[in-house]
Amino acid sequence: MKTLVNLHRKLTPRLAERLHSCLNSARAPAPRVWPVAVIECIERLLRLETKAHSRGWFAAAAIVRSQLQSALTDLQERLAQLRSQVDLQPPSTSSLRDLIADINALQSEFEQVEVNLSTSTLAVTTRPIVLEDVFLGPFKIALSFSAGQSSTSYTVTALEPHPAASDDAITHPHIQDGHLCEGEGRLPLQRALEDGRIFDVFQIIQQILTTYNSGSAYVSLDDWHGVPCVTCGMSTSDDERTSCQLTGEMLCWECAVSCSDCERTLAPDRTECCSECDDQFCSACLDQGICHACQDEIETEAESVLPAGANAPVHAVCLEQTALSTGPG
Amino acid sequence: MKIFLINNDGAGFADTQELSEGTTIQALFAKTVPHGRPEDYLIRLNRGPVAADYVLQDGDRVSITPTKIEGATIRC
């Protein structure tokens, strides 16, 4: 540890210098433009106006005066713009001393601090992060910058990934493919980066990592370990599952079955096959094992098989039986 | 006296502040984040922890960072 501390003491000032150079490059003012062309135009118009008056060309002088007015207005606007550029003070960047103090202070705030001159990277390791009893592990926050270049960037990497069951690329509810969605932290983080407040940069990112926004997560913590399908046991995410409309149990789309009559989504063990057509139905759509459509068909067929007059009363004589007298005997 | 105040709440800002002698960290917080509770913030003096009754000195650097900063997804 002592060696590490000594190493940091040697490397930190050099890294701070590189970072300071990078931040200052970002603050170089935009080139100032002196309106030479407009001024030359005004000078020429002034000469023309004088000449026109001296020769009595009053109509021409009037035209030149109008052009002069336009040019002077243009010059006023350009000078006002230049004035506002000069007056606008760039936000003060951290001094070299501040940067060194920030880097040194990180050691008491984070588990581990790494200074890498070869890659111009400053990295910290957070404590293991647990959100709502879901263990996500420690994360490494690495800030990269290059001397002479004006941009800094950071990455957040899970060191012991415990990703969402549905997507390996989601190692934190607000990290996908290594990209942290800053949400509320975007503006203060941007300001801290612009100002070179390195300690604040890392602290803000850490607070984002340790806060769960259930309303805007790539995968909610409730679903982090997935929800098993009640039939096959496969872990499912939100868009991979539905539920049985009889029991409310979670089902993957592969296992879910639809009643061929009422079209309700059901678990396979909540359906039965019609003994006639073999299609699957819920129990409410079967009558003695036969679906309504098949029952109707059976009834229709039965009616068409019966001969004409089958329902007429049977006369005794037709059956070769002696008719019995119906009078008194 | 002047201190350097960093407020990482909301849009965030960092600027020097003119304060009267004897102002404590607690008083500064109440003035800076009037509707906030100190326990919901990381309050650092010169990059280290500080007691609420600490009396600020000229040149001190104070940062106030919410403990909860919500990330997002599609809004990014």
Side-chain angles (χ1 to χ4, degrees), chain A residues 9-38:
Chain A
R9 283 189 184 146
K10 287 180 185 173
L11 296 178
T12 294
R14 290 166 65 186
L15 191 80
E17 276 176 13
R18 286 194 192 180
L19 182 55
H20 195 242
S21 169
C22 178
L23 291 168
N24 280 330
S25 298
R27 279 162 181 74
R32 315 282 196 222
V33 179
W34 181 244
V36 174
V38 177

Side-chain angles (χ1 to χ4, degrees), chain A residues 98 101-102 105 109 173-174 179 181-185 187-188 191 195 197 199-200 203-204 207-208 210-213 216-218, chain B residues 4 6-14 42 44 46-49 61 63-76:
Chain A
D98 284 332
D102 271 2
E109 192 77 14
H174 305 301
H179 174 68
C181 264
E182 299 150 356
E184 287 179 349
L187 283 176
R191 289 268 170 88
D195 290 350
R197 291 183 277 114
F199 182 84
D200 290 345
Q203 192 172 65
I204 291 167
Q207 296 321 114
I208 297 171
T210 55
T211 306
Y212 175 51
N213 178 6
S216 187
Y218 285 113
Chain B
F4 188 64
I6 301 163
N7 183 358
N8 290 315
D9 195 12
F13 74 84
L42 301 174
R44 297 282 185 266
N46 301 327
R47 304 173 182 84
R61 174 189 175 110
S63 70
I64 298 173
T65 306
T67 55
K68 294 193 184 304
I69 304 178
E70 291 187 338
T73 53
I74 301 170
R75 289 199 294 272
C76 285

